[in-house]
Amino acid sequence: MLFERSRLEALEAQNLAPYAVKSGQSRGREYPEPESRYRTPFQKDRDRVNHTTAFRRLQYKTQVFVNFEGDYYRTRLTHTLEVAQVARSIARALGLNPELTETIAFAHDLGHPPFGHSGEAVLDGLMRGHGGFDHNKQSMRIVTYLEQRYPGFRGLNLCWETREGIVKHETRYDLPDAEGYEPHLRPSLEAQIVNLADEIAYNAHDLDDGLRSGLLVAGQLWEVELLRDLLGELGMHPDRFDEMSRRIFIRELLGLIITDTITATHALLEQHRIDSLEAVRQHPAPLAVYSETLTRQLDELRDFLYANLYHHYYVVRQVGKSRFVLEKLFEAYTQDPRILPPQVQKAAETEGIHRAACDYIAGMTDRFALDEYARLFEPEFHR
């Protein structure tokens, strides 16, 4: 039996929840083109995102620890894969479209520059007066303009629902500017799930990397209610918290948060009798939520991570280095565009030198940015 696109779309219509996005009802692409025979439009979008240069570069971009710190820490790519896994699990449990959810998750961090959020803050400051910099907007810029893989149009020509999910990606730290994508309406529940999955993944996995690195120690976990309660349930003690204990603990923590998200979101959908995609969009507040208790506990966990990991003196030192590198590169490029590659010089003719330099730097990996700094400012560096 063959499962052609028409059959896949029929199965979606039959099996997905009434409030899910059905690929057969997509608003389509900006540039008309034939759809695949054996893939739904959202599967096609997912594959296009996965084949971008920007997606591959995430392998060498910082999550918390810079790439050269070690092979076992999360990178922006492994974080993205983990967000997709978490989001897909929640989406399936709620009857949502797993392909659309996964696609938005894969694309949500494409616009991140080197050196994580510190790199983003540096570029935003450098671009003050020139349009600023925001990684969500840069993700959209990548999929709609910067990636050039097709002869008939710039960008990836993704479906409207995928683009909306990218532009409306939101956490408490990333507030979207969704101009052109019905900013007065909520995004799909698939997109809302990705917003939470992003938080879930970095809370659990940044904690894991912090423990693995030794910047956090097991004894500190007892300071946080959520972690303390889970440790008690698992019968774990700080004096006997080895590597296997850490793996079990992070796995159970992740499962606990995912289960709570599924339960709380389903309860809210039932409470408000959400029975259509339009009802999701018109709802005045997000429908993908944690329980009230977990929301409070996660706030405490985030405060703990900021105080003890993100603001740890070792991490702050690395942030200072990355700030210096990016500032020097931007200054050099904008003062003398002739040192830029020809394609970037050409882009500067239409985009302006500041935006062209910003796009170039934002696309760099940590490794490339450090090598580029050495090429420009260290006379003995020839690579």
Side-chain angles (χ1 to χ4, degrees), residues 296-315:
R296 174 181 55 79
Q297 291 176 327
L298 288 176
D299 285 342
E300 184 187 11
L301 174 58
R302 275 186 288 268
D303 290 343
F304 169 82
L305 289 172
Y306 266 92
N308 296 283
L309 180 60
Y310 306 140
H311 291 165
H312 190 285
Y313 82 90
Y314 181 83
V315 175

Side-chain angles (χ1 to χ4, degrees), residues 89-248:
S89 297
I90 297 171
R92 286 193 181 279
L94 294 170
L96 300 173
N97 192 311
E99 277 79 29
L100 175 59
T101 307
E102 190 174 49
T103 303
I104 297 170
F106 282 142
H108 85 281
D109 266 356
L110 289 179
H112 247 296
F115 309 122
H117 285 284
S118 63
E120 179 174 18
V122 171
L123 283 183
D124 188 41
L126 292 169
M127 289 295 290
R128 193 168 292 122
H130 304 282
F133 179 84
D134 174 84
H135 84 269
N136 288 334
K137 291 182 180 179
Q138 192 70 7
S139 295
M140 275 294 286
R141 185 168 168 79
I142 286 169
V143 302
T144 60
Y145 184 73
L146 292 178
E147 284 280 342
Q148 299 183 49
R149 312 183 71 83
Y150 304 95
F153 48 81
R154 297 192 66 140
L156 305 182
N157 199 29
L158 303 177
C159 294
W160 188 91
E161 293 78 7
T162 302
R163 286 179 277 130
E164 184 209 26
I166 298 170
V167 79
K168 290 183 178 178
H169 178 62
E170 177 181 1
T171 68
R172 65 188 62 211
Y173 309 110
D174 301 316
L175 301 177
D177 177 5
E179 182 180 356
Y181 289 87
E182 301 178 343
H184 59 292
L185 297 179
R186 294 284 165 188
S188 65
L189 201 52
E190 286 83 353
Q192 294 183 41
I193 290 300
V194 174
N195 293 341
L196 286 192
D198 188 19
E199 291 188 1
I200 292 169
Y202 68 63
N203 278 328
H205 296 139
D206 289 359
L207 176 63
D208 189 26
D209 281 352
L211 290 167
R212 179 191 287 273
S213 69
L215 300 188
L216 299 176
V217 296
Q220 293 176 284
L221 303 181
W222 269 255
E223 300 173 14
V224 182
E225 179 185 333
L226 174 63
L227 308 184
R228 182 172 60 249
D229 290 349
L230 181 57
L231 288 163
E233 291 177 17
L234 297 174
M236 292 183 175
H237 191 274
D239 295 336
R240 300 184 298 276
F241 195 86
D242 57 13
E243 185 172 350
M244 183 56 69
S245 299
R246 175 177 56 80
R247 290 174 175 172
I248 294 170

Side-chain angles (χ1 to χ4, degrees), residues 63-94:
Q63 177 63 15
V64 174
F65 295 94
V66 181
N67 175 253
F68 59 73
E69 300 285 351
D71 294 338
Y72 295 103
Y73 299 120
R74 266 80 181 184
T75 66
R76 191 60 60 175
L77 177 60
T78 58
H79 165 72
T80 295
L81 296 175
E82 288 164 343
V83 171
Q85 180 267 313
V86 170
R88 187 171 56 242
S89 297
I90 297 171
R92 286 193 181 279
L94 294 170

